[in-house]
Amino acid sequence: NHASSAGGSRLSYEYFADSFSASLDPSAPPPRKGEQVLISYGERSNDQLLQYYGFVERGNPHDVFALQQGAFLLALAEGTPFPPKRLHRLKDEGVADPTAAVTLGRSGGGERALRLARLLCLGEDEIVEGGARAPADAQGEASEARVRAAVARAAELLLRPLQEPDASEGKVDG
C-alpha cells in the first residue's frame, strides 16, 4: 500500500523478466512478519491519488489546494492590504492572468503564490528578479518572512469557509 513517508521505496516493471520488482526504503527498518509493507506512489496530491488509485491519504504532505489567481489576490488584499498602484507590477512581469492556477499546500504557497505576494506586498527595493525570489541577505530573509505570512493569512481566509459548518444547515424554511 501507499504511504508518502515511504519515499525511498521503489516499484518497477522489469520488461525482459515480465515481472514487477519492489525494493523498500533502505533507511526504514525491515518489516516484521505479518506487517503491512508500504511503498510510495510518488509525490501525488490527494486529487491525483483519488483519480488514479481510488483513495486519499490522511495528512498527505503533497496535497495542494488549487484556485484561480483572482480569488487568491482578493484574499491576499484582504489579509495584507497593499497599495492598489502595485497591481501594475503583475502586468509588467507577465503574471496578470486572473484565471491562472495558484496553489497552496501544507508547507505554504506554491511558487506563483509567493511571486504574486512578493510583487504586491514588498517595496520596490525588496523585489529581486521580478519577484521570482527573495534577496539572499538579512533584509531578504525578513522580507520573505513577511511574504510567507501574507500568503498564510490569504490561505486562512480562503480555507475558513471550507472549515466552518454552514449556519443554515439543518434549518427548514417555513
Side-chain angles (χ1 to χ4, degrees):
N1 284 329
H2 166 82
S4 291
S5 60
S9 61
R10 298 284 177 256
L11 181 65
S12 60
Y13 177 70
E14 304 294 334
Y15 177 79
F16 293 109
D18 193 27
S19 64
F20 287 93
S21 69
S23 62
L24 300 179
D25 186 343
S27 67
R32 294 185 298 251
K33 185 177 180 177
E35 185 178 40
Q36 177 175 229
V37 175
L38 299 171
I39 62 169
S40 173
Y41 293 1
E43 295 182 2
R44 308 235 190 277
S45 69
N46 276 339
D47 284 345
Q48 292 170 315
L49 290 173
L50 183 61
Q51 182 178 5
Y52 295 109
Y53 306 106
F55 68 92
V56 296
E57 180 181 15
R58 184 181 304 273
N60 183 346
H62 308 294
D63 208 12
V64 294
F65 176 64
L67 67 153
Q68 288 189 341
Q69 180 171 302
F72 173 73
L73 292 177
L74 289 173
L76 184 67
E78 182 180 345
T80 309
F82 52 83
K85 66 182 181 177
R86 289 187 182 168
L87 287 168
H88 78 84
R89 294 176 180 174
L90 303 183
K91 184 177 180 189
D92 294 348
E93 295 301 329
V95 291
D97 180 359
T99 64
V102 173
T103 58
L104 305 170
R106 293 181 186 281
S107 60
E111 283 306 311
R112 189 171 189 97
L114 292 171
R115 185 174 187 193
L116 294 168
R118 287 182 196 115
L119 289 169
L120 296 173
C121 298
L122 297 181
E124 199 68 45
D125 60 327
E126 298 173 283
I127 297 174
V128 175
E129 295 177 12
R133 66 176 184 84
D137 59 11
Q139 180 185 352
E141 289 178 26
S143 298
E144 193 66 4
R146 289 192 345 261
V147 164
R148 291 186 182 280
V151 170
R153 281 191 293 278
E156 288 172 9
L157 290 167
L158 288 160
L159 296 174
R160 185 179 304 141
L162 302 176
Q163 296 169 343
E164 295 174 353
D166 186 354
S168 65
E169 267 185 40
K171 293 185 180 179
V172 178
D173 290 335

